[in-house]
């Protein structure tokens, strides 16, 4: 079947699935915001997540049925279904999101992404992410912080508020540590020391571990590699033009000294945490090289 037909069929079914689920999800989200009884708010939140899980499962079945993409998952045994988990992952494409859904759905507690604020305006999906209490982050440039120093730490404050909302349930938190998708232009502008990655932003990870150190049982490092070496678009996925996606999962022990600390105020803690994250990123960079070489054999 031509890729155009596959893409149009996949996109149409996913849009239909989204339209079916979005209205009841938003109704429950509004009730959760308005109801004065905490137990009823929790039930509404559970209902929102149930609808989102059904939506994600239906989308996965659509992609399986129409696209033929092979999901090569390695290390899945590290995923524990009843444990709250923090996932750190490299980020190249919108396809990374359905890739992580493929990895985690029905294997772990429902996932929460840290999203860029601009994604709130994505039609339908932005409202769905709001209903799911996904934190919308804003990254401030150095020049903007110099003009408005009161904005320093604002992104971490948003992280703290988001973590407070997650304290009463098992969760899978997904953090794209680079803060944005990899492109060669961004890589060159940063003068990144890594071959396949942007510089990691350690602050968000540090704050999550500090705010939820008693709840996060597991930290997983997920490396995503597209086997042909290119960075696919979401249309490539919808239209069946992605042959194989490799995902490697590695369980990461977090040193006790790094589970609690003041990343903003304690310079020695901040330096130690950044060294730890950079060491993880160095390992990930080497694994991406190795996985790409294996895929070409």
């Amino acid at each position: 079947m031509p890729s155009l037909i596959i893409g149009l069929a996949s996109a149409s079914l996913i849009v239909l699935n989204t339209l079916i689920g979005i209205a009841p999800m938003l109704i429950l989200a509004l009730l959760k915001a308005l109801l004065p009884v905490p137990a009823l708010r929790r039930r509404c939140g559970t209902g929102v997540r149930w609808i989102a899980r059904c939506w994600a499962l239906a989308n996965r079945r659509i992609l399986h049925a129409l696209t033929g993409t092979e999901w090569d998952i390695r290390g899945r045994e590290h995923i524990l279904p009843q444990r709250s988990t923090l996932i750190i992952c490299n980020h190249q494409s919108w396809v990374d999101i359905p890739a992580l859904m493929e990895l985690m759905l029905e294997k772990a507690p429902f996932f929460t992404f840290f999203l860029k604020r601009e994604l709130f305006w994505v039609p339908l999906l932005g409202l769905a992410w709001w209903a799911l209490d996904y934190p919308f982050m804003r990254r401030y440039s150095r020049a903007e912080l110099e003009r408005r120093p009161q904005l320093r730490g604002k992104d971490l404050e948003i992280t703290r508020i988001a973590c407070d909302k997650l304290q009463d349930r098992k969760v899978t938190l997904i953090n794209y540590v680079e803060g944005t998708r990899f492109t060669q232009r961004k890589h060159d502008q940063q003068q990144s020391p890594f071959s396949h990655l942007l510089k990691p932003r350690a602050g968000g990870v540090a704050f999550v571990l500090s705010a939820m150190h008693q709840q996060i049982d597991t930290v997983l490092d997920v490396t995503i590699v597209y086997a042909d070496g290119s960075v696919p678009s979401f249309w490539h996925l919808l239209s069946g033009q992605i042959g194989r996606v490799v995902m490697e999962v590695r369980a990461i022990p977090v040193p006790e000294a790094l589970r609690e600390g003041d990343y903003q105020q304690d310079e020695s803690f901040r330096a130690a945490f950044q060294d730890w994250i950079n060491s993880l990123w160095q390992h990930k960079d080497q694994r991406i090289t190795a996985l790409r070489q294996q895929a070409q054999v």
Side-chain angles (χ1 to χ4, degrees):
M1 189 183 300
S3 60
L4 177 61
I5 302 301
I6 295 172
L8 290 175
S10 300
S12 298
L13 289 172
I14 289 174
V15 169
L16 178 61
N17 182 38
T18 302
L19 291 173
I20 291 171
I22 194 69
M25 179 183 286
L26 292 180
I27 290 170
L28 285 173
L30 289 172
L31 288 173
K32 183 180 71 168
L34 296 173
L35 287 172
V37 182
L40 292 178
R41 291 201 299 269
R42 286 194 295 271
R43 286 180 178 271
C44 289
T46 300
V48 168
R49 292 188 294 277
W50 181 82
I51 293 170
R53 185 182 293 273
C54 291
W55 172 83
L57 287 169
N59 287 343
R60 187 173 72 173
R61 293 191 182 103
I62 290 166
L63 294 174
H64 281 193
L66 295 178
T67 68
T69 297
E70 177 189 352
W71 305 97
D72 181 353
I73 299 174
R74 308 172 186 187
R76 201 172 213 166
E77 66 275 8
H78 295 302
I79 302 171
L80 304 175
Q82 296 303 318
R83 310 287 285 276
S84 286
T85 301
L86 172 64
I87 290 178
I88 58 176
C89 185
N90 60 312
H91 192 20
Q92 306 160 82
S93 164
W94 272 75
V95 181
D96 298 342
I97 295 176
L100 288 174
M101 289 183 182
E102 179 69 29
L103 175 67
M104 303 301 293
L105 271 175
E106 300 184 298
K107 300 294 181 183
F110 195 70
F111 38 81
T112 295
F113 288 91
F114 290 84
L115 302 173
K116 292 190 295 185
R117 191 181 69 164
E118 293 80 3
L119 293 179
F120 177 79
W121 304 107
V122 174
L124 299 180
L125 290 179
L127 290 173
W129 292 327
W130 168 80
L132 286 163
D133 289 326
Y134 284 11
F136 290 92
M137 311 294 290
R138 178 173 178 180
R139 302 290 185 184
Y140 298 100
S141 68
R142 180 173 297 180
E144 195 169 6
L145 290 174
E146 288 175 355
R147 289 197 309 270
R148 302 173 64 192
Q150 70 273 19
L151 296 176
R152 290 188 188 278
K154 190 69 175 177
D155 54 347
L156 296 185
E157 177 64 16
I158 293 170
T159 303
R160 185 194 64 77
I161 293 170
C163 289
D164 287 345
K165 293 181 179 180
L166 303 173
Q167 294 289 350
D168 62 343
R169 58 185 171 89
K170 298 296 183 183
V171 294
T172 299
L173 289 166
I174 297 173
N175 192 326
Y176 292 120
V177 184
E178 294 156 293
T180 185
R181 285 173 287 172
F182 177 96
T183 66
Q184 191 61 48
R185 180 180 60 81
K186 295 174 186 175
H187 179 274
D188 294 343
Q189 286 177 342
Q190 286 188 354
Q191 297 182 325
S192 172
F194 308 103
S195 298
H196 311 291
L197 299 165
L198 302 178
K199 293 178 181 179
R201 297 173 180 262
V205 178
F207 206 89
V208 168
L209 290 177
S210 177
M212 303 185 70
H213 68 277
Q214 293 182 332
Q215 187 175 355
I216 295 294
D217 302 302
T218 307
V219 177
L220 299 180
D221 179 19
V222 177
T223 300
I224 300 177
V225 170
Y226 297 99
D228 66 357
S230 65
V231 178
S233 67
F234 198 64
W235 173 254
H236 287 126
L237 177 65
L238 292 176
S239 56
Q241 298 182 64
I242 301 177
R244 182 159 63 100
V245 181
V246 180
M247 285 176 280
E248 186 174 80
V249 184
R250 186 170 69 113
I252 301 296
V254 181
E256 282 301 318
L258 299 182
R259 280 189 169 270
E260 294 184 72
D262 191 334
Y263 185 86
Q264 289 180 284
Q265 302 298 328
D266 187 335
E267 291 185 10
S268 61
F269 177 82
R270 183 166 61 249
F273 202 96
Q274 289 174 346
D275 287 345
W276 180 64
I277 290 290
N278 280 321
S279 70
L280 298 182
W281 236 234
Q282 186 64 52
H283 180 274
K284 183 186 288 291
D285 203 45
Q286 294 168 357
R287 290 305 302 153
I288 292 173
T289 297
L291 291 169
R292 286 184 175 179
Q293 288 173 347
Q294 291 171 18
Q296 293 169 4
V297 173

